[in-house]
Amino acid sequence: MNSDDSTARRDREWLDADGNPIDEDHRGLVYDIRTLVDRRRALGIFGGVALTSLLAACGATDDTDASATPSSTGSSSPSAAPSASATTEAAASVPLDEVPDETAGPYPADGSNGIDVLDDSGIVRADIRSSFGSSTTVAEGVPLTIALTVRDAATGAALAGRGVYLWHCDRGGDYLLYSRGVENENYLRGVQETDANGTVTFTSIYPACYSGRWPHIHFEVYDDIATAVASGPIVKTSQIALPPETNDAVYATSGYEQSVRNASQVSLQSDNVFRDDGAVHQLATMSGSVTAGYTAALTIGV
């Protein structure tokens, strides 16, 4: 039945036996409630559930389905608000800028510059402070946890199951496998697989500031771990920049003395890698302290 037919039928309900209109004051409770429903639909005065329940209690019937009256599901209520997890997921699914491609530098040990550590047994690990294989030397320095989250730049979606190879220099500014005296050490290098949130977390030590470069950490992203350990195609090569406030705090501790001088001679604006944009997409977010250790977190778009 269309709305015109329904209205006509309802108008006929309020006629007396002789076909004369019944005065509104004598039409009773059902008429009053229906009038309130019509006003509620137009003005949103009352909650739909209360009025629907009241009509049912009066035994009122209508050709219009009760579902046409907005229920509590459609009204504003705490249950209608998005959950925290839904809000977080929506925020995470927002497109983001792609992290700039950067040089892997002369010490990648990924097979592109002579040495290839990626096919060595033991390279897949979360704690990269010690060497693996014939040596068990452990790197000294202020503890640093590195949390790198990989997302699709176009959609913001987390990229699970990706392989991430990460490496950096030690407290003295040396790169293991390359620098003099540490050619047989392979600590501060490791590969991990991103989790469901697109995140890998490495346990390491705070790197030095060596002459000519701002303090940084290298990484490469691969389609998966199998591709990474086979030195296959690289999806993204870039670097993480460490913030000046944390650098100052760490370099004031024992063992980082040469970093104090080196850091005073370089800035994000003068660094040959970060100077184009001041590392706006590569500057880590830091938490922690010198005594408790720091966490460096960065979300990157690829």
Side-chain angles (χ1 to χ4, degrees):
M1 179 181 294
N2 61 37
S3 59
D4 291 338
D5 292 339
S6 178
T7 300
R9 187 187 68 78
R10 291 172 61 179
D11 288 343
R12 288 195 298 271
E13 292 178 358
W14 314 118
L15 301 178
D16 61 19
D18 297 324
N20 298 315
I22 300 173
D23 187 88
E24 289 189 7
D25 293 338
H26 298 90
R27 292 183 182 182
L29 182 59
V30 169
Y31 175 81
D32 293 340
I33 296 301
R34 283 180 176 169
T35 300
L36 286 176
V37 170
D38 290 338
R39 290 177 179 173
R40 185 262 170 197
R41 287 170 179 165
L43 303 176
I45 298 176
F46 296 102
V49 170
L51 288 174
T52 301
S53 301
L54 189 53
L55 279 170
C58 295
T61 60
D62 193 358
D63 287 332
T64 304
D65 194 309
S67 64
T69 302
S71 67
S72 60
T73 303
S75 63
S76 296
S77 66
S79 62
S83 67
S85 60
T87 302
T88 301
E89 182 177 351
S93 298
V94 175
L96 66 161
D97 291 333
E98 184 174 345
V99 69
D101 293 302
E102 306 291 8
T103 177
Y107 315 117
D110 60 1
S112 64
N113 189 21
I115 302 170
D116 188 353
V117 75
L118 291 177
D119 60 359
D120 290 358
S121 176
I123 189 63
V124 179
R125 62 204 184 124
D127 191 335
I128 61 174
R129 291 174 297 179
S130 63
S131 283
F132 55 91
S134 60
S135 174
T136 57
T137 303
V138 178
E140 296 181 344
V142 172
L144 177 66
T145 299
I146 306 161
L148 186 63
T149 300
V150 184
R151 295 192 175 276
D152 185 310
T155 66
L159 296 179
R162 300 307 195 265
V164 176
Y165 170 41
L166 182 142
W167 73 98
H168 60 80
C169 70
D170 66 7
R171 184 173 64 175
D174 293 326
Y175 278 93
L176 293 308
L177 296 171
Y178 288 94
S179 300
R180 181 177 300 176
V182 291
E183 298 92 338
N184 296 320
E185 303 289 357
N186 53 21
Y187 52 83
L188 305 183
R189 297 179 185 273
V191 174
Q192 278 203 83
E193 180 181 63
T194 58
D195 63 16
N197 297 315
T199 301
V200 289
T201 303
F202 291 92
T203 301
S204 191
I205 58 100
Y206 209 95
C209 177
Y210 55 86
S211 180
R213 279 302 319 276
W214 184 264
H216 61 281
I217 297 167
H218 295 269
F219 67 88
E220 293 172 346
V221 179
Y222 294 79
D223 281 334
D224 48 44
I225 281 189
T227 305
V229 298
S231 299
I234 300 170
V235 174
K236 175 67 66 175
T237 301
S238 194
Q239 300 180 23
I240 303 170
L242 299 174
E245 299 81 6
T246 317
N247 295 339
D248 291 345
V250 172
Y251 298 156
T253 65
S254 176
Y256 288 96
E257 288 81 7
Q258 68 176 11
S259 291
V260 176
R261 177 176 55 83
N262 292 333
S264 69
Q265 298 172 348
V266 67
S267 68
L268 283 169
Q269 289 67 39
S270 66
D271 183 75
N272 62 8
V273 169
F274 301 127
R275 64 187 174 194
D276 55 345
D277 62 2
V280 64
H281 300 302
Q282 296 155 278
L283 192 63
T285 299
M286 304 296 298
S287 60
S289 65
V290 168
T291 54
Y294 286 99
T295 293
L298 181 67
T299 296
I300 64 163
V302 301

